[in-house]
Amino acid sequence: MSAKTNFILPIVLLALAPQLALAVGRTELRNICHVKGQEENTLRGLGLVVGLNGTGEAGDLQTMRALSSAMEIMGSPVSTTGRADAESLEELKKIKNAALVYVTATVPAAGSRRGDQLDCFVSAINGKSLKGGRLAFSTLQGPNTQDHRVYALCQGQLVVEDAEQPMVARIHGGCQMQQDVRTEFEKDGYVTLVLDRHHADFNVAQTVGELIQNMYRDNFMQDQVSQDEDLLATLVRVENASNIRVQIPEVYRNDPVTFVAQLMELGVYNVEPEARVVVNPRAKSIVISGDVGIGDVVVTHRNLTIEANPAAIAKFEKIDPDAYSQGGSGSAKLQSLVDAMQDLRVPAGDIIEIIKGIERNGKLHGKLIIE
């Protein structure tokens, strides 16, 4: 039996020299946050799909009741008494061309008005396939379960977009709004900016808060604010890592839309959150921020041994380890580790497992996100 060969790989520190200037990134506020109240809303309800080619659900009580109700609404009840009793439902027991489904539609963040048509998504509760079926009807209610109003009506031909998932389908423009859905963004003279989940961070929130305070100081209340920092803090308040509450200036009280439009166009610098590495085991993808470091660690995986510590780096660079430890960082970059493993043609799946192992050992100096 031949022994496996281990490759020992010292990781070279890829740190920026002190004299190098950091690249400064700039973006607009609208790219990293949204205004509270301007969120998508999901409408949902149950519906009945018909026209299936024998792939529905035969003998299911709930499906038969839905079919009975539909027939009654259209003036052709299965029972002369007007009630779907056991005897009348028996007549529908052999029907295999209908299925009970769960229907959803997403109202855009800007809201929607009566008569607007949206796409709706259909998921079968029973049956074998929705291919070739048609949604006969569905009434959708809002996300608040206590609100029993019908917000939309849905019907139309189903389109199964993935042959491997025949129980899920879409209807293009099949949802017609019956109620207005307005997304109010102003409350008591204030708007709240909400950082997206990838930028929600105390440092980023503080940076955005200071940017808006400077806008106030320079444009709206120069004399008053410049002498009262406490007042400025009440006008623009950083509430937590993701929410910044901003008072609408007096000049814009009757035109908050213009103020918010100007606010969202402000340019902000250095809005990087904490160091992160995002991996997707299924797609075999790895995305690393440049600041993700790794501590002293030795990883053995399959026939590969990986060593990352100041001594190994100093040896590789042929410098004095003592001098290195005094003046160097001592923390290798994860990107250098990944680059080196890719040079050795280590599979992406193995690289992801190694990163996860480093994180479990507490040696990953950044946040690991597994998608």
Side-chain angles (χ1 to χ4, degrees), residues 99-328:
L100 195 64
V101 294
Y102 180 70
V103 185
T104 61
T106 300
V107 179
S112 186
R113 299 293 178 264
R114 178 185 175 91
D116 287 351
Q117 291 184 307
L118 309 174
D119 288 358
C120 56
F121 299 86
V122 180
S123 302
I125 296 176
N126 52 33
K128 300 176 182 179
S129 173
L130 294 178
K131 185 177 181 180
R134 184 179 183 85
L135 180 66
F137 71 91
S138 179
T139 57
L140 304 189
Q141 296 178 333
N144 184 358
T145 57
Q146 304 302 317
D147 185 356
H148 300 294
R149 287 181 295 173
V150 174
Y151 279 87
L153 299 177
C154 300
Q155 63 86 34
Q157 187 66 38
L158 302 180
V159 177
V160 176
E161 298 178 322
D162 186 350
E164 295 183 358
Q165 293 183 320
M167 304 291 281
V168 180
R170 176 202 292 258
I171 305 176
H172 297 281
C175 173
Q176 186 175 59
M177 298 296 298
Q178 301 297 307
Q179 300 276 354
D180 290 346
V181 176
R182 299 180 181 274
T183 52
E184 304 295 339
F185 62 90
E186 180 267 341
K187 184 177 181 181
D188 300 328
Y190 285 84
V191 296
T192 299
L193 302 185
V194 182
L195 294 172
D196 64 45
R197 63 189 182 93
H198 298 300
H199 287 89
D201 179 88
F202 285 106
N203 289 331
V204 175
Q206 186 64 32
T207 298
V208 172
E210 292 174 354
L211 172 71
I212 301 174
Q213 286 180 349
N214 290 336
M215 180 192 70
Y216 252 95
R217 185 182 290 109
D218 296 339
N219 297 297
F220 299 121
M221 303 176 70
Q222 300 96 324
D223 297 335
Q224 185 177 7
V225 174
S226 62
Q227 311 210 353
D228 192 347
E229 292 296 324
D230 291 337
L231 174 61
L232 182 61
T234 64
L235 299 177
V236 182
R237 178 179 174 82
V238 179
E239 297 185 332
N240 50 45
S242 61
N243 292 271
I244 302 98
R245 192 165 183 256
V246 183
Q247 186 180 77
I248 299 174
E250 188 67 34
V251 67
Y252 286 111
R253 285 295 168 84
N254 295 323
D255 189 14
V257 172
T258 299
F259 172 69
V260 172
Q262 294 179 4
L263 192 65
M264 299 300 277
E265 288 298 317
L266 286 177
V268 59
Y269 295 85
N270 296 329
V271 291
E272 294 296 328
E274 74 275 10
R276 296 176 180 178
V277 52
V278 182
V279 300
N280 187 322
R282 289 175 297 177
K284 301 294 190 296
S285 64
I286 305 169
V287 180
I288 304 171
S289 85
D291 293 329
V292 179
I294 52 177
D296 299 352
V297 63
V298 176
V299 179
T300 300
H301 184 81
R302 300 184 188 276
N303 63 337
L304 182 70
T305 298
I306 302 160
E307 182 179 358
N309 56 57
I313 298 169
K315 181 178 179 181
F316 186 85
E317 296 181 344
K318 298 180 181 181
I319 61 177
D320 181 4
D322 293 333
Y324 182 90
S325 61
Q326 293 174 6

